[in-house]
Amino acid sequence: MKTFSRRFLLPAAICLVLGILRAVDLALFTDPQTGFVTDNAVVLRYLVPLAAAVLLWLTGRGVPDGRTVPGRGLSAGLAVSGLLLAAAGAASLPSLTDTLLYLLAGLGLIGLAVVAARPREVPPSVLWFLPGVAGMLWVLIQRFSVVPASVVRLGCTFRVLSAAAALLLLQSLLKGLLLPDRPAGRAWFRYGWMALLFCTLHELPQAVFELVCGAVTLPQLLVSAGLGVFGLCGLWAALAASRCGADAVEK
């Protein structure tokens, strides 16, 4: 239990502090009309979350790379995230490309939720989930193609980091759930915390800020909500990896 507490509480504290700082920054130090920060500490705003991501990576060094057991929370989170992304696809009509790829991403997560809820001795082939990966990759490409008017408009950069963190977590979940002979506990721990940090604690405050300012469309809001819930899946994955690692050490 002590091993589990040390591994879980430090990254949890890092993510919580960074999430609070991001929310305060948006509420007090960001211009609601332009999205620009209102002071000169721009470099610090980039360095702190990136340094936190590196620290989260390092906290996973001591986690044994064993097999993890998905809990109900992970399965439920994947299903909700998938439904939100699928809803974003429906709301993207008449843009057929966005509709198709958001639907693929959503259905892929829903399928993964079924696998997590009912693990089988012989899981389905990972090939069935590649279209879902392509859909999540499309979210990253879309966000990366948006060029911010200035580096002081942090929302554009953080949305790219959120999509990248989601992709990293997705590939580790596919590895752990569909390739049982390849343990992914350490990857679940590392990428789970990074997804929580960027997909939930940076993405959701940004989405609320833009919603209040009237600067977000319904599909964008649904995608942000889907990624935010997916970040919570990262928390469940990290929790499962922490328990698995602690059990391995105690034995």
Side-chain angles (χ1 to χ4, degrees), residues 31-63:
D31 185 349
Q33 300 300 322
T34 63
F36 293 178
V37 297
T38 56
D39 57 43
N40 296 323
V42 177
V43 175
L44 190 62
R45 286 177 167 87
Y46 286 110
L47 290 180
V48 170
L50 292 177
V54 172
L55 188 55
L56 291 174
W57 172 274
L58 293 176
T59 59
R61 293 179 62 185
V63 177

Side-chain angles (χ1 to χ4, degrees), residues 15 55 112 118 159 163 178 188 212 225 247:
C15 290
L55 188 55
L112 202 59
R118 298 180 179 179
R159 277 192 289 268
L178 303 180
W188 278 29
V212 172
D247 292 342

Side-chain angles (χ1 to χ4, degrees), residues 11-178:
I14 293 171
C15 290
L16 180 61
V17 170
L18 266 292
I20 292 173
L21 289 176
R22 181 57 180 157
V24 171
D25 190 33
L26 285 167
L28 302 180
F29 303 104
T30 304
D31 185 349
Q33 300 300 322
T34 63
F36 293 178
V37 297
T38 56
D39 57 43
N40 296 323
V42 177
V43 175
L44 190 62
R45 286 177 167 87
Y46 286 110
L47 290 180
V48 170
L50 292 177
V54 172
L55 188 55
L56 291 174
W57 172 274
L58 293 176
T59 59
R61 293 179 62 185
V63 177
D65 203 15
R67 293 189 61 183
T68 51
V69 180
R72 293 181 179 178
L74 177 59
S75 176
L78 288 170
V80 173
S81 180
L83 288 172
L84 287 168
L85 288 174
S92 296
L93 288 171
S95 175
L96 295 181
T97 301
D98 288 353
T99 297
L100 175 62
L101 289 167
Y102 286 156
L103 283 174
L104 288 176
L107 292 175
L109 292 183
I110 293 171
L112 202 59
V114 174
V115 175
R118 298 180 179 179
R120 291 186 292 177
E121 191 170 326
V122 181
S125 171
V126 71
L127 295 177
W128 289 103
F129 295 87
L130 290 183
V133 175
M136 193 69 78
L137 180 61
W138 176 248
V139 177
L140 175 61
I141 293 172
Q142 268 193 326
R143 293 180 168 199
F144 195 77
S145 65
V146 176
V147 180
S150 171
V151 293
V152 298
R153 193 172 184 180
L154 277 72
C156 296
T157 301
F158 283 135
R159 277 192 289 268
V160 171
L161 293 175
S162 173
L167 267 177
L168 289 172
L169 176 60
L170 179 58
Q171 63 86 21
S172 68
L173 290 176
L174 289 172
K175 178 182 175 182
L177 294 174
L178 303 180

